[in-house]
Every structure is written in C-alpha cells, then in structure tokens.
Amino acid sequence: MNAVTFDHISRSVITGATGTIVKQVETLLDDGLTAREILNQGLMAGMSVVGDRFRRNEMFLPQVLLSAQAMKMAVDLLKPKLLDESEEGGNAHGTVVVGTVKGDMHDIGKNLVKIMLSGAGFEVIDLGTNVTEQKFVDSLRQSGAQYVGLSALLSSTMKHMKAVIEAIRREPDLDHVRVIIGGAPVSREFADTIGADGYAPNAASAVDVIKGLEAD
Ligand code: B1M
C-alpha cells in the first residue's frame, strides 16, 4: 500500500474528498505525525490552493464548499490531538467570547482559534458566524468574559469589527474587555486603526496575544 503524505491530505482538501480524508488523517496520526503538522502542512496548504483557484475562477462555490467540508471533517478528527499538543496545557485563566462578524459565514479559522484557546486553558464561548454587535455585547455582559476574539474573512465584513469595538466601548460596564481580531484580510495596522487591543495572524498566535494582554 502507498504511504499517505501531506500532499495526499492537501489534495483531498482541494478535491473535497470527504470520503477519504478522515482515513488519510488517521493513517498519518498512526504514523506518528502531530496534529499540528497535519493541519499546517496538509490541510492549510490545501486550503491555500483552494483560495488561489477560487480567486482565479478555476474553482467555484460548490467545489469550495466541499473543500471546506473535507477540511472540517479532518479538523474535527484532529481536535482532541490539537488540545493535547497545546504546549502549555490548561493553565491559562479567563473567558474568551469568539465569533465571526456580521455578514460573514467563514468559520474554519475561527474554529481553530477556539481549539487553540481551549487547549491553553481558556474557557471559550463560541457565538458562531454572522454575529451582530449586540450579540457580542450581550454575551460579554452575561458571561463576564474578559476577552473577545473577532474573525472576518471578507474585506466587506471587516468594517463590522470596528462596529463591535464601538458597541463594546459604549458600555461602561464592559470597559475591562480586551478585543483581539484576526482573519485573512485583517492586519496589525487595521487593528490599530479600529482600536483593537491585539491582532493575531493565526490561531496559535491568538493564544500568545491574549496571554500578552493578560500580563498588562
Ligand atoms: Co469564501 N472567500 N466566500 N468561502 N473563502 C475567501 C475568504 C476569499 C479570499 C476567496 C478568494 O477570492 N480567494 C474571498 C474573499 C475576498 C475578499 O473579500 N477579500 C471569498 C469570497 C469572495 C466568498 C463569497 C463572497 C463567495 C460568493 O458567494 N461569491 C462567499 C461569502 C459568504 C459569506 O461569508 N457571506 C464565500 C463563501 C465561502 C464558503 C461558504 C464556500 C467557504 C466557507 C466555509 C466555512 O468557513 N464554513 C469559503 C472558503 C472555504 C473560502 C477560502 C477558500 C478558505 C477560507 C478558510 O477556511 N481558510 C477563502 C480563501 C482564503 O482565505 N485563502 C475564501 C482556512 C482557515 C484555517 O484559514 O480562515 O484564514 P482562515 O483562518 C486563519 C487566519 O486568518 C487566522 O487563523 C487561521 C489560521 O490559523 N484567523 C484568526 C482567522 N480568524 C481569526 C481570529 C483571530 C485570530 C486569528 O482572533 C480572534
């Protein structure tokens, strides 16, 4: 039998091979590869190709949906391992509300942020996708969370991050809340412009950014 490689995993994401990706990921785990290696070198590499092809109109929405489904199945399988592999274990404190902002349905990156934060010991409240400013405010108030993590994948929805921050800043009882943002179109400069407390380029760094805010 041929050995499974990261390239096979990437290709399964690209082709949306929902019938084979789980078995392939299981094989790589059995071979001793780490969940983080499989995520970064297999799944993310494949999704990056999907993004490029989608932009060039070489792939279309139904195919991208299948790729997303294949990636989700693999991430679900890797989730317990990613939590175990989390370097620092469950020693962090605090609660983080996470969500993808209004108008935006992309959730794969946000779900990875949730996994990494949980692995580091944070309690995470996931509001899902297409989350309004008011829903973030209500959840922060009800949960007493100290942090909120906003995700956006569309340049057209980035503006809602600013709206969420403004909504939080209008509430005196939420002035302790620190906001971090992330997502493909977002940058540190943008984070500074809209008054976010932190910017994380990827899910793993979201943990470091929040821990840095904890120390402030
Ligand atoms: Co969409 N899509 N999509 N899509 N999609 C992009 C984002 C796009 C860049 C593709 C392209 O053109 N190359 C493009 C946006 C262009 C732009 O605005 N600049 C695009 C578009 C246009 C659209 C639609 C408008 C298409 C249409 O309908 N014509 C539509 C919008 C729907 C909506 O949201 N209202 C749409 C729909 C979809 C699908 C539903 C088919 C599917 C999403 C499925 C799902 O998420 N459940 C989808 C997908 C899969 C993509 C691409 C191909 C892959 C996104 C992804 O999951 N990447 C994407 C192309 C790309 O990004 N290269 C694309 C893997 C994931 C792990 O990475 O989410 O970037 P990412 O998360 C990273 C970091 O960004 C960061 O950490 C993660 C890695 O560790 N991060 C954070 C993310 N959030 C964070 C929060 C943090 C910290 C870090 O702190 C809180």
Side-chain angles (χ1 to χ4, degrees), residues 127 132-144 174:
L127 300 181
T132 61
E133 292 88 58
Q134 192 58 47
K135 200 166 170 195
F136 279 112
V137 166
D138 291 346
S139 174
L140 286 163
R141 187 166 282 134
Q142 279 157 19
S143 63
L174 297 181

Side-chain angles (χ1 to χ4, degrees), residues 95-107 110-111 113-114 117 123-145 147-151 164 168 174 177:
T95 302
V96 190
V97 170
V98 298
T100 306
V101 296
K102 190 163 77 183
D104 201 322
M105 308 307 292
H106 296 85
D107 66 356
K110 182 265 298 167
N111 293 342
V113 170
K114 178 182 172 185
L117 287 171
E123 189 186 326
V124 184
I125 297 168
D126 182 2
L127 300 181
T129 59
N130 189 24
V131 183
T132 61
E133 292 88 58
Q134 192 58 47
K135 200 166 170 195
F136 279 112
V137 166
D138 291 346
S139 174
L140 286 163
R141 187 166 282 134
Q142 279 157 19
S143 63
Y147 310 98
V148 59
L150 310 177
S151 180
V164 176
I168 293 169
L174 297 181
V177 172

Side-chain angles (χ1 to χ4, degrees), residues 16 21 26 55 63 106 113 125 141 149 154:
I21 196 161
E26 279 170 352
R55 197 181 53 245
Q63 296 159 293
H106 296 85
V113 170
I125 297 168
R141 187 166 282 134
L154 299 171

